[in-house]
Amino acid sequence: MKSQNPYQKFDAKQVELQTLLQENPRFKRMYDEYDHLSENLWNLEQSEGESITDEFLNYIKVQTNYLEAELEDFILADSSLHSK
């Protein structure tokens, strides 16, 4: 059985995600890239027999973490706007 992808950090924030995805094209582009990278990273780490360098995996992790932080900032900013 395949375990859950630990890179999908925004499952608990689906309402905020859906709002931003519909209303903010920049957020949508960033989220799409994050989703693509995190899925690829998860697949690369789960695959057996493929030769992938640690350097490449670390690069993908850094990119994923950067996008995750940016997306979290968007979500926090949007949440604070809606709570006023």
Side-chain angles (χ1 to χ4, degrees), residues 6 15 23 40 42 55 66 74:
V15 172
E23 296 175 357
N40 283 337
W42 172 249
E55 194 172 271
Y66 173 78
F74 262 101

Side-chain angles (χ1 to χ4, degrees), residues 4-47:
Q4 173 112 6
N5 180 345
Y7 299 107
Q8 296 296 322
K9 308 278 185 187
F10 300 107
D11 287 344
K13 300 183 185 217
Q14 287 300 308
V15 172
E16 296 93 338
L17 269 178
Q18 291 307 312
T19 300
L20 282 165
L21 287 169
Q22 292 172 353
E23 296 175 357
N24 190 318
R26 182 170 181 237
F27 180 86
K28 182 172 180 358
R29 279 191 310 273
M30 288 173 57
Y31 184 80
D32 288 346
E33 184 177 351
Y34 166 79
D35 191 47
H36 178 74
L37 282 173
S38 65
E39 188 66 29
N40 283 337
L41 180 57
W42 172 249
N43 289 335
L44 289 170
E45 289 182 337
Q46 297 303 309
S47 66

